[in-house]
Amino acid sequence: DLSERRNLERLAREATKKYELFFENSADAIFIADGRTRKILDCNKKAESLTGYSRKEILSMSADQLHPPDSVKKTMEKFQEQIQGKLENVAAEILTKAGKRIPVEISSSSMAIEGKIYSVGIFRNMAESRQAEIRYKSLFEVSFDAVMTLEPPFWKFTSGNEATLEMFGVRCEAEFVELGPWDLSTETQPDGQLSADKSR
């Protein structure tokens, strides 16, 4: 009926708005291309900042033009394998408008809409990722506060800085990562629960 149709239209508008927000605010560059011709049909703001091209310029390009000429053939071959589900991520380079080569990790998928195939490529700037990792590692190592990481599903420690080792009286990180929170807690917590139960 009419009310159900209006409700479906409202839900479709909300879903479209959420997609647009994700698309434009993604930390990674996203390109949408024609799956057959490789012509770029859409891109987000991060794609502009990554490549140095304006959106208008990018939409006049094909996916091949994003990569250095000496590696484009190999990259496109990997891209086709990825679209066919044979590869998860592809390591490649993009060539910026200024001629700079930037290492990227590409995750691509394809979708069919009304009989037409579209390719969606998510490009992660690996140079930025490495810089963030270096910054994090530096802060981790020099922090006067205890900093530690844990990993599910077993919730054992996976790292601990010098302040952590000193706080818990552990000799080295190798010894620390063999432990879980329950190994370093008092037998019971202030609420009376066993630490072994509460920390899991």
Side-chain angles (χ1 to χ4, degrees), residues 11-64:
L11 290 172
R13 284 194 300 272
E14 288 176 1
T16 300
K17 190 173 181 180
K18 286 177 183 176
Y19 159 77
E20 287 173 352
L21 283 170
F22 164 77
F23 183 76
E24 284 303 336
N25 296 297
S26 172
D28 298 318
I30 304 176
F31 300 88
I32 299 175
D34 183 305
R36 185 178 59 82
T37 65
R38 297 179 184 162
K39 183 181 183 328
I40 299 172
L41 306 172
D42 203 358
C43 67
N44 64 354
K45 291 175 186 173
K46 188 66 177 181
E48 293 181 88
S49 64
L50 177 67
T51 63
Y53 290 103
S54 68
R55 185 173 183 275
K56 184 178 179 181
E57 289 173 314
I58 292 171
L59 299 192
S60 70
M61 299 164 68
S62 72
D64 309 56

Side-chain angles (χ1 to χ4, degrees), residues 132-149 159-166 173:
E133 185 180 344
I134 290 166
R135 284 195 297 270
Y136 165 76
K137 191 173 181 182
S138 298
L139 289 170
F140 179 83
E141 290 174 350
V142 303
S143 175
F144 291 110
D145 297 318
V147 183
M148 62 209 80
T149 58
S159 68
N161 66 354
E162 283 297 322
T164 298
L165 305 183
E166 186 177 333
E173 191 176 44

Side-chain angles (χ1 to χ4, degrees), residues 36 71 74 86 94 160 167 188:
R36 185 178 59 82
S71 65
K74 188 175 181 181
K86 296 177 183 177
I94 63 118
M167 183 173 76
T188 59

Side-chain angles (χ1 to χ4, degrees), residues 86-123:
K86 296 177 183 177
L87 293 173
E88 287 189 8
N89 297 307
V90 169
E93 288 182 318
I94 63 118
L95 188 65
T96 69
K97 185 176 182 178
K100 183 179 178 182
R101 298 171 80 118
I102 297 178
V104 292
E105 183 180 71
I106 307 171
S107 175
S108 298
S109 60
S110 61
M111 64 178 79
I113 301 175
E114 296 180 354
K116 191 168 183 177
I117 304 296
Y118 297 90
S119 298
V120 180
I122 300 174
F123 288 51

Side-chain angles (χ1 to χ4, degrees), residues 3 9 43 51 86 123 128 147 153 157 161 171 185 198-199:
S3 62
E9 288 174 348
C43 67
T51 63
K86 296 177 183 177
F123 288 51
E128 282 185 355
V147 183
F157 294 113
N161 66 354
R171 288 176 300 176
S185 301
K198 196 161 186 175
S199 62

